Amino acid sequence: MRSRPEIEVTIATLGAQGDGVAETPQGSVYVPQAVPGDRLIIALDNRRGEILRRLDDGPGRVEPPCPHFGACGGCTVQHLDDPTYVRWKQDLVAVALRRRGLDPTVVGPLRRTATAGRRRVELAAHATAAGLRLGYFQRRSNRLLDLDDCLVMRPALRRLLAPLRSLMAAVLPPKSEARLLLTETRNGFDLLLTTSQDFSVDARMALAEFAAANRIARIAWRARPDAEPEPLAVLETPRIAFAGVAVALPAGAFLQASAEAEQIMVALARQAVAGAKTIADLFAGCGAFALPLAAQGGHVHAVDHAADAIASLKAAAGAAGLGGRLTGESRDLFRRPIQARQLAGYDAVLFDPPRAGAAAQVAQIAAAAVPLVLAISCNPASFASDAQTLVQAGYRLEWVVPIDQFVYSHHVELVALFQR
């Protein structure tokens, strides 16, 4: 192993990933678990540093609440005090806008959510010679950190970790691995297993017994992330609710990680588009925004690539008496964006794309000159790129509300309003 030089640095700022940034003669160096004002001895490896000794602590440092912090790749900023944390999260959005030549002063205060608010988590399980490992991957590593608790999960999910570990130890063959998407729904948990290992008859019986004993509404399996899930045990269809309307949740369908964050976003959307008679909801998923906006009185056309999500949304709207206010369409908006001439008649457009943003679709929205556009995003950088397209087309960016949906991580959700 080659030796790494040891140098003394002082941390100046926080980077976009939550690492401390120190300026050195060799350029910027990124140091995990550091805060501005720290004076450190670090081992230098290219442009990354590992803390060897803390000489002086910066004023924003606190003791992390989780014993797994540092090793776990999930949370990156538990060592920040609250004022530093809030400033940094807001700055993630403001800096992204500034880099695109947009006004960062439109960014409002960070809206907070409960620490233990995650209703959906993705875990990994590895069956090793030393036993079953269940948890998250370590940061920048394919090594799995074995967890017995997680502070950001809802309490019911945390209580499920121990029995879930026992289940995976029983059903996974030696030297195999699986990804587990676990969601707390209104009527039980939903568990989607992704693994190339098929399950034996005995394993399938164990899965069914586990579901019955642990309030698991459904267990499904797929061999690959792009494969159609196969139900293995279904006690009842998992359901969620948007604006009081129960929606059947397809296995693996998109859902906001925190119900509290979703409620904040929906409230902002309802306020922003109040009075709009026709609304296009793009990247609509199962209807987190479409159903509340239809219930408010608007006529909503919901579009998403996932046909099963649109089918669930339309069925829920019909059962709730909202079928006359909501239409749905399955369409890949990356390859086949809705054209400007089709959008021109809408009063408002809402779009909530994946992390990569919606460049092709936003170009059509900008050309359509829809009076009001509401953007939802979990990535300030791709949002700022889309926002630049809209502003260059004549829109005003009225406000941006950052939302702390992913507590202790470098991710931040946001809602933004554009008008012309």
Side-chain angles (χ1 to χ4, degrees):
M1 180 183 295
R2 66 185 178 89
S3 62
R4 298 178 297 172
E6 296 182 12
I7 63 171
E8 179 180 326
V9 298
T10 298
I11 301 300
T13 59
L14 288 171
Q17 302 293 311
D19 296 335
V21 183
E23 300 303 330
T24 74
Q26 294 78 30
S28 298
V29 173
Y30 297 86
V31 185
Q33 303 167 52
V35 303
D38 276 353
R39 192 165 64 91
L40 310 167
I41 301 295
I42 64 170
L44 186 61
D45 187 357
N46 196 5
R47 296 185 64 188
R48 301 203 59 78
E50 178 187 352
I51 298 176
L52 300 178
R53 295 189 301 281
R54 298 204 320 249
L55 304 177
D56 289 307
D57 286 347
R61 178 178 290 279
V62 295
E63 190 66 24
C66 177
H68 299 294
F69 178 71
C72 180
C75 295
T76 57
V77 287
Q78 289 189 7
H79 62 300
L80 302 182
D81 69 8
D82 202 61
T84 305
Y85 177 87
V86 169
R87 269 195 316 274
W88 172 68
K89 283 251 171 165
Q90 291 175 184
D91 283 349
L92 289 176
V93 182
V95 168
L97 291 176
R98 189 180 298 115
R99 285 175 176 165
R100 291 284 178 170
L102 303 175
D103 181 8
T105 66
V106 298
V107 179
L110 181 71
R111 299 287 297 271
R112 311 297 292 275
T113 65
T115 298
R118 291 289 294 271
R119 64 179 173 185
R120 163 166 282 197
V121 294
E122 185 169 8
L123 304 167
H126 289 180
T128 72
L132 193 284
R133 300 179 69 85
L134 177 71
Y136 301 125
F137 288 100
Q138 297 183 29
R139 194 175 186 197
R140 294 186 173 89
S141 170
N142 59 5
R143 179 170 174 77
L144 192 63
L145 179 69
D146 203 33
L147 293 178
D148 55 9
D149 196 9
C150 175
L151 299 185
V152 300
M153 291 184 188
R154 287 171 61 94
L157 291 180
R158 294 167 71 175
R159 290 192 293 269
L160 199 60
L161 284 174
L164 195 58
R165 181 189 305 278
S166 299
L167 172 72
M168 290 293 101
V171 302
L172 279 184
K175 298 183 179 179
S176 66
E177 56 188 59
R179 296 293 182 94
L180 296 77
L181 182 63
L182 183 62
T183 306
E184 184 179 0
T185 73
R186 294 183 71 192
N187 56 328
F189 301 102
D190 186 31
L191 175 60
L192 175 60
L193 303 170
T194 303
T195 175
S196 59
Q197 304 292 324
D198 199 352
F199 293 101
S200 66
V201 172
D202 288 345
R204 290 174 182 241
M205 289 181 61
L207 289 165
E209 291 170 359
F210 176 81
N214 291 279
R215 197 171 158 260
I216 311 295
R218 176 179 62 203
I219 300 178
W221 164 71
R222 61 188 178 189
R224 307 178 312 278
D226 60 347
E228 186 72 20
E230 172 192 335
L232 298 181
V234 183
L235 302 185
E236 52 185 310
T237 301
R239 296 188 179 275
I240 50 178
F242 303 128
V245 178
V247 181
L249 182 67
F254 174 78
L255 184 68
Q256 297 291 349
S258 159
E260 185 181 0
E262 180 182 271
Q263 291 167 4
I264 294 171
M265 289 185 274
V266 169
L268 290 168
R270 295 182 80 161
Q271 180 181 0
V273 306
K277 295 181 179 179
T278 55
I279 305 160
D281 181 1
L282 310 182
F283 307 94
C286 293
F289 298 102
L291 284 168
L293 296 181
Q296 185 170 271
H299 290 261
V300 180
H301 183 58
V303 185
D304 195 273
H305 77 283
D308 53 0
I310 290 296
S312 289
L313 168 56
K314 291 169 68 176
L322 296 174
R325 297 185 192 165
L326 190 145
T327 55
E329 176 185 357
S330 175
R331 180 173 180 149
D332 186 336
L333 293 170
F334 293 105
R335 296 182 178 180
R336 295 178 54 238
I338 297 182
Q339 298 299 297
R341 65 181 182 277
Q342 298 169 284
L343 293 170
Y346 285 95
D347 297 326
V349 171
L350 180 152
F351 67 100
D352 181 14
R355 287 191 58 79
Q361 184 58 77
V362 168
Q364 296 300 320
I365 295 171
V370 179
L372 185 152
V373 176
L374 195 70
I376 318 291
S377 176
C378 62
N379 184 348
S382 62
F383 161 74
S385 176
D386 290 339
Q388 183 182 46
T389 298
L390 292 169
V391 169
Q392 288 175 345
Y395 283 89
R396 298 184 311 278
L397 177 53
E398 303 286 0
W399 48 257
V400 183
V401 176
I403 302 163
D404 195 18
Q405 172 160 223
F406 305 98
V407 178
Y408 291 142
S409 84
H410 65 274
H411 299 294
V412 60
E413 196 82 26
L414 63 87
V415 180
L417 176 66
F418 300 83
Q419 288 184 303
R420 54 179 304 149

